[in-house]
Amino acid sequence: MRPAGWLAVCILTLCLFALLGCTPEVVREEVVREVEVVVTATPGPGGSAQTGQTSGQAPDPTPGQQTAAATPQPAATTSAAPTTTDATENVYQLGISADMTTTNYWAYLGPDGTIWNLYVLGGSKPSLYSYSAQRYDWVPSLASDFPTPLAEETVGGETLWTTEVPLKQGVKWSDGNEVTAEDFVFTAHTVADLELSGNWPSIVDPEYFDHAEALDSHRLKIYFKQEPGLARWQFGMAFMPIFPRAYWEPIVAEAKQAGEIVEQQKALYAHVPEREPTGGGFGFVKWERGAFAEKELNPDYYFTDSVVAQYANGAYAESKPGAYEFAAYGEPGGDKTLEYTVGPYADSAIYSIYGSQDATVLALKKGDIDFMLNPLGLSRGLQEQIEGEDGLAVIENASDGMRYLSFNFRKEPMGNKAFRQAVATLIDKEFLTSTVLQGVALPMYTTVPEGNRAWYNPDVPLIGKGLSRGERISQAVQLMKDAGFTWETEPRISEDGRFVEQAGEGLKMPNGEPMPAMEILAPSPGYDPLRSTFAIWIERWLNEVGIPVRADLTGFNLIVDKVFTRQDFDMWILGWKLTAYPDYLESFFHSRHSGLEGHNPGGYNNPEFDRLADQLLAETDLEAARQQVFEMQVFLAEDLPYVVLFDTPLVEAFRSGRVDYPYTETWGGLQSASGMPALVHFK
C-alpha cells in the first residue's frame, strides 16, 4: 500500500466526482474506440432498432483495437460542416464526438468496428430479417416471410442442413438494380472465401455455413454443414448485411489476386467506396475528415410509406399499399402500443464531428444540431445544462452496455476462482455508484443488462452485495485462506468494522510463492472518470488485504492494444455495447476465442462453460435458449471471468422544437437505431 500517493489520487478523484453534477468540463471525452458489440445494426423498416450480433473474433466489441491507419481513406480536408440556417430545411443534423475511421462497410465489420462508424454507415445495407422497434420481435425485412424449417439433405454424398427464404420483389438499390438472392449469395461467399475477420465470423460462421444459392431472383437457399442454432442462423446469418453484387464483384475479384489471404483481406478493407449503391433510406455521399459526414435521401427506398403497428396482445403488423402485407405473433387487433409510417422525411442527414461531448452539447443548445449521438450518453453536468432549455428535450433509457473488470488467466493467481471471488467481494459497487459517483452509474452483477428483459436473469449470485467493509474483508480473507493463500501479517479490521487498522503483508499464493505485483489497466479520468474511479478504489481495497495491485490509468487505445492485440496485462477495466440476443456470452468466454484479437483475451478456459456455450450456439428453440442463457449468467456470476461493475442509464438529448420521433422509449436509446434518420419528422 502507498498511503501518501494513493491518498492524493483518491482525494483528487473524489473532488472530481463531487463536481460531476455541476461542472461541464468534468465529462467523458469522446469515445474514439469504445469497445462495442454491434455488428449488423441494419435497420428494418424506417430504422427500427437493430442490435447486431456478436462476433466470434470478438463483437464491438472488433474490439475496435485497430488504428485508423489500418484502412486508407481520402485525404483530410478543412471544410466546415454544413449547418441548417433555415428551420424549414429538411436536413437532419446530428452531432458525434469523434470521427469515423472508414467508409468501407466490410472494414467496419472487420478491423474498424467502432461505434462512430456504425452511427454513420448503419442503415445502408438490407438484411433478411431484423428486430422490430421497442419490442425486438424477430421480423422479416428483405425476406417476405419467415424461413422454411431447417431440413437435412444429402448433397454430393454429404449431409447438410438447409433452409429457404422468400424475398420481397421490387426492392431496389439506389442505382436502380433490384436487390436479389444473388446479392446475398455474393456477400456470404465473399466473407467465407476471404475468411474475413472481426465480427464477420459470428455472422457467417465457417464452422456452420457451407454455401448459398439463388433458386431464382427472389428465392434463396442456404446450406449449413451442421444444424445451426438460433445464434448462427436466426440471430446471426439472418441479420447479415447484404452488399450490392454489381458494385462490389469486380472489387472483390481484384482483392482475391492480392496474394495470401491476409493480403486479400487488407485489399478489400482498403477500398474506398465512392457512390456505393444503398438499400437504405439514405446513401453515404461525403466525408470531410474531422468535420462532417453526409448521407442523402434515397428516393427509391422501398420501405417508404410502409406502416408498422404493434399491439398490446403481442401481434406485429407491417404493410405497404400495393406492395406487401405481413403479420405475426398473433392476430392484429385491439389496443395498439405503437404505430408509425416509415419515411425518410429528411432530404439528407449530416453528422457533424465535434472535439468533445461538451462541444456537441453546445452545438445542440445553439441549434446547430438536432440530435447528439454518444454511446455513453450525457454526463450529469451536461444533462443539467440542457434540462429546462427551451426547445430541447432530455430522455433516459436503459443502457445496452456494461463495464467490467477482467483477468489474465495465463498468470497466477488470476486463474484461482477463490482469488477472483475475493476480488469481487472487496469491491463495494453500491458505495461507488451511489456515494462517490452520486448516482450517475448503476451497479451490475450479471452479464446481461436488466433492460434486456427477455434474457436478464434476476436471480444470479450477488457476491459482496450488502456487506459492510469489515464483512467484505473478513469474507475475502477467508475465501483466500480456504484456497491456500497465506499472510505473514493478516489484515486487521477496526473494532467497529469500518476500516483497516493493519493492511495485509507478505501475501503468498497456494504454491508458496509471493503474490506478484500486478496492474489494473483502466481508462484515464479524461476519457472516462467513472471507470478510472472504480480502478482507484479497487486498488485501495485490494491493497488493504495485501494484494499488491496498482491502477494504471492510461489511454483507451493503449489498453485495447495491450489486452486484445498483445495480451500483455494482468487485469483490465473496459466496457461492451451488447446485443439483444446474448450469444456474446459464447464470444466473450468460450476458450476458442482466446487467441490474439479474440473476444476472450484473458484466456478464460472452463470446459464446463464451453459446453454450455456450445449448447447455446446449437439451440434452435427460443425458450430453451433463454433457460440456457439464465444458466450461463449464474455460472459466470460465480466463476467470475468478469467482475461486472456497473452501467449508466443512457441519457440523450434532442431539439424537440424542431424534430419529433414516433417513440423515444427503447432499450439502448434512440441511438440504437443511429438516431432514426428514416423516422424523424420536422415540425
Side-chain angles (χ1 to χ4, degrees), residues 526-594:
Y527 181 88
D528 182 4
L530 306 184
R531 281 176 282 190
S532 63
T533 295
F534 261 83
I536 289 170
W537 280 88
I538 291 171
E539 173 192 307
R540 173 191 179 181
W541 289 327
L542 269 58
N543 286 173
E544 286 179 341
V545 298
I547 301 173
V549 168
R550 182 180 68 87
D552 183 4
L553 308 183
T554 187
F556 181 85
N557 283 347
L558 178 61
I559 300 172
V560 169
D561 177 61
K562 296 184 79 169
V563 174
F564 290 95
T565 303
R566 293 190 281 144
Q567 295 182 348
D568 177 22
F569 63 93
D570 300 310
M571 306 181 211
W572 85 95
I573 295 177
L574 279 180
W576 293 106
K577 181 177 174 63
L578 304 171
T579 56
Y581 185 70
D583 57 338
Y584 58 79
L585 297 178
E586 185 271 341
S587 293
F588 292 169
F589 304 115
H590 197 293
S591 60
R592 65 170 147 255
H593 301 308
S594 60

Side-chain angles (χ1 to χ4, degrees), residues 470-652:
E471 291 169 337
R472 289 178 185 278
I473 293 170
S474 295
Q475 286 196 18
V477 168
Q478 193 61 51
L479 279 166
M480 294 176 69
K481 289 173 68 174
D482 291 345
F485 290 85
T486 58
W487 286 261
E488 292 178 2
T489 303
E490 287 190 19
R492 186 174 68 250
I493 308 166
S494 63
E495 289 187 6
D496 60 11
R498 298 179 63 184
F499 63 93
V500 175
E501 290 182 337
Q502 169 65 54
E505 295 179 353
L507 178 59
K508 293 184 179 180
M509 297 186 292
N511 61 8
E513 296 180 2
M515 177 74 77
M518 295 176 286
E519 287 186 339
I520 302 175
L521 296 171
S524 65
Y527 181 88
D528 182 4
L530 306 184
R531 281 176 282 190
S532 63
T533 295
F534 261 83
I536 289 170
W537 280 88
I538 291 171
E539 173 192 307
R540 173 191 179 181
W541 289 327
L542 269 58
N543 286 173
E544 286 179 341
V545 298
I547 301 173
V549 168
R550 182 180 68 87
D552 183 4
L553 308 183
T554 187
F556 181 85
N557 283 347
L558 178 61
I559 300 172
V560 169
D561 177 61
K562 296 184 79 169
V563 174
F564 290 95
T565 303
R566 293 190 281 144
Q567 295 182 348
D568 177 22
F569 63 93
D570 300 310
M571 306 181 211
W572 85 95
I573 295 177
L574 279 180
W576 293 106
K577 181 177 174 63
L578 304 171
T579 56
Y581 185 70
D583 57 338
Y584 58 79
L585 297 178
E586 185 271 341
S587 293
F588 292 169
F589 304 115
H590 197 293
S591 60
R592 65 170 147 255
H593 301 308
S594 60
L596 292 177
E597 299 187 1
H599 280 172
N600 178 12
Y604 177 63
N605 186 345
N606 188 312
E608 186 177 353
F609 182 83
D610 283 356
R611 178 182 60 80
L612 292 174
D614 288 334
Q615 288 177 352
L616 178 64
L617 291 189
E619 186 54 64
T620 59
D621 179 79
L622 200 61
E623 182 56 33
R626 181 173 178 268
Q627 295 306 314
Q628 288 170 352
V629 169
F630 273 40
E631 183 179 353
M632 293 167 79
Q633 289 177 72
V634 171
F635 190 102
L636 294 169
E638 293 176 337
D639 208 35
L640 293 170
Y642 280 7
V643 178
V644 183
L645 299 174
F646 70 95
D647 194 15
T648 54
L650 191 67
V651 179
E652 300 172 300

